[in-house]
Amino acid sequence: MSIIATIMNAATGAPIQKMTFGRMPRPGAGFVLATGERVTAQRVDVGKPAPGKFVAPIDVWVTLPQ
């Protein structure tokens, strides 16, 4: 089962993109965004699923390179 996560900008709090992972990402894991930028996960938040739903929202917080 794949994990669909929202990649969030840690500096602004704005969503950057949706991304699919083969397994739950861990803080410190590096990956490449659709724009070609290499980022590292700083924080992974798992929310509560909506009532009657099974899928929980997952946010991966990253800092974009300057």
Side-chain angles (χ1 to χ4, degrees), residues 17-40:
Q17 73 178 46
K18 293 267 188 187
M19 192 168 204
T20 303
F21 293 93
R23 57 184 218 162
M24 181 66 81
R26 302 207 186 278
F31 51 91
V32 179
L33 298 176
T35 58
E37 295 175 301
R38 181 149 180 84
V39 294
T40 303

Side-chain angles (χ1 to χ4, degrees), residues 6-16 43 59-62:
T6 303
I7 309 300
M8 304 288 287
N9 186 339
T12 63
I16 299 172
R43 186 173 90 209
D59 297 329
V60 178
W61 295 83
V62 300

